[in-house]
Amino acid sequence: IAEYGADATRWYMYTASPAGSSRRFSGALVEEGLRRFMLTLWNTYSFFVSYANIDGWTPGTEFRGPRPEIDRWLLSELNSLVVRVTEALDGYDPTAGGRAIEAFVDDLSNWYVRRSRRRFWRGATEGDDDKQSAYDTLYTALVTVSKLIAPFTPFVAEELYRNLVVSNDPSAPISVHLATWPEADGSL
């Protein structure tokens, strides 16, 4: 815990093997989980915040325009993730839930963000629906993931949620641990 942090250790304990299975503790595997999952998530969050601040984007009303296919894909994957994690936790299987989140964060970083970078990089123009959709989609994914990881990594989840939600909406619950659990939207 002193070397990698409580959240990294918790993540390892949840995702290394199912509860009740014998396992050896490995600091190297804790570090790998930290690098592979937590730093990937944090870098995605950092990317979003950097460009949102540059463009002065703040969350407000939900984006209502037609979304590009890549945004629709991500929102579909996000809603499927909510279903998988909810079912896993309801079935007392945090390992399956954690691994599903880990796979989603990998797709979020290595597929969505990589293929959408140019959408964030181009200059802000009035009425740029494509860029607004990209911001809204990535924001929605990060906020939802912060809620999904709260039982696994409470401190990282809290930091993400407070920076993304509480700092922009004073009426929001003051903690991710007081926020409602996400519900999947089947239409997405």
Side-chain angles (χ1 to χ4, degrees):
I1 291 174
E3 191 167 344
Y4 301 111
D7 277 355
T9 305
R10 287 171 58 98
W11 187 256
Y12 166 76
M13 298 302 279
Y14 281 125
T15 60
S17 63
S21 298
S22 59
R23 74 178 86 161
R24 286 185 172 179
F25 181 81
S26 169
L29 291 177
V30 173
E31 181 181 20
E32 180 184 330
L34 172 69
R35 188 177 30 79
R36 193 177 64 225
F37 170 68
M38 296 180 81
L39 292 179
T40 300
L41 176 60
W42 195 261
N43 288 338
T44 303
Y45 159 77
S46 179
F47 173 87
F48 169 79
V49 169
S50 296
Y51 285 98
N53 286 338
I54 288 170
D55 287 336
W57 186 89
T58 56
T61 58
E62 186 178 327
F63 182 78
R64 297 283 181 201
R67 291 189 189 270
E69 188 172 10
I70 192 165
D71 292 352
R72 291 192 317 269
W73 168 79
L74 185 69
L75 292 174
S76 174
E77 290 295 314
L78 180 64
N79 282 278
S80 295
L81 175 68
V82 169
V83 170
R84 284 193 305 275
V85 173
T86 302
E87 287 175 352
L89 293 180
D90 285 347
Y92 301 101
D93 187 2
T95 303
R99 288 177 180 175
I101 295 169
E102 193 169 71
F104 176 82
V105 167
D106 184 58
D107 285 346
L108 178 65
S109 174
N110 292 317
W111 285 95
Y112 183 78
V113 171
R114 280 192 183 176
R115 281 155 184 75
S116 296
R117 276 191 187 136
R118 285 189 172 85
R119 298 168 68 198
F120 293 97
W121 288 346
R122 67 175 179 244
T125 58
E126 191 68 31
D128 187 348
D129 285 346
D130 185 51
K131 190 170 193 170
Q132 294 304 313
S133 178
Y135 276 127
D136 184 70
T137 302
L138 187 52
Y139 175 81
T140 300
L142 288 169
V143 170
T144 303
V145 167
S146 76
K147 292 176 181 180
L148 293 174
I149 65 171
F152 301 93
T153 58
F155 303 113
V156 170
E158 184 71 14
E159 188 70 17
L160 290 173
Y161 179 83
R162 290 185 64 78
N163 291 340
L164 291 168
V165 178
V166 175
S167 65
N168 291 303
D169 182 4
S171 67
I174 61 169
S175 171
V176 69
H177 305 291
L178 299 174
T180 58
W181 184 258
E183 290 190 27
D185 180 351
S187 69
L188 298 175

